[in-house]
Amino acid sequence: MADCIRVRGITAYGHSGVFAEERQLGQRFIVDLDLQMDLKEASTSDNLDDTLDYAAAIALVRSIVEQEQFALIEAMAERIACRLRQLDKRLSAVRVEVHKPQPPLAGFTGTVAVEVWR
């Protein structure tokens, strides 16, 4: 079984979506991560250099959501996953789940989410 760092509830305000009003007004997105890597060295050394700096991962996710635009949350999730893999080459797998609370769909008040594994 792979070791995993889980980060839940990264919230950022972005201007992505299919509809013009989504891109103009913006909306809140919530991102969850599962970051798989060998944590044995970090667990014995107790040294940040031996693990993923999750503060840097959170900052990366926020910058993508806040500064880039996507028509689809699928594309947003893919960009986040690829950039996280670039952030730390020790990651063996990355799971990104992007939630779009209350998308502008008539009569729908729930959340839509996509999940990608890379």
Side-chain angles (χ1 to χ4, degrees), residues 35-99:
L35 307 165
Q36 292 184 348
M37 66 184 296
D38 185 350
L39 298 174
K40 182 155 182 54
E41 190 170 342
S43 67
T44 57
S45 73
D46 198 26
N47 186 332
L48 179 60
D49 292 334
D50 295 328
T51 190
L52 175 84
D53 181 349
Y54 55 81
I58 292 167
L60 175 66
V61 169
R62 282 193 177 130
S63 72
I64 291 169
V65 173
E66 293 171 354
Q67 297 173 14
E68 299 184 34
Q69 283 194 354
F70 306 92
L72 303 176
I73 58 175
E74 292 87 341
M76 181 187 290
E78 180 70 21
R79 177 72 51 86
I80 291 168
C82 290
R83 295 278 306 279
L84 286 167
R85 296 292 302 265
Q86 293 170 355
L87 178 69
D88 195 317
K89 301 294 186 194
R90 298 172 295 179
L91 290 169
S92 58
V94 173
R95 184 191 73 88
V96 177
E97 186 172 345
V98 176
H99 301 259

Side-chain angles (χ1 to χ4, degrees), residues 28-30 73 97-103 105 108-114:
R28 182 174 55 103
F29 294 91
I30 302 167
I73 58 175
E97 186 172 345
V98 176
H99 301 259
K100 186 175 185 175
Q102 298 180 329
L105 301 172
F108 181 73
T109 59
T111 297
V112 174
V114 300

Side-chain angles (χ1 to χ4, degrees), residues 13-27 29 66 69-70 104:
Y13 198 85
H15 290 83
S16 293
V18 173
F19 303 113
E21 56 270 16
E22 292 177 288
R23 289 178 178 252
Q24 181 182 15
L25 299 173
Q27 61 208 323
F29 294 91
E66 293 171 354
Q69 283 194 354
F70 306 92

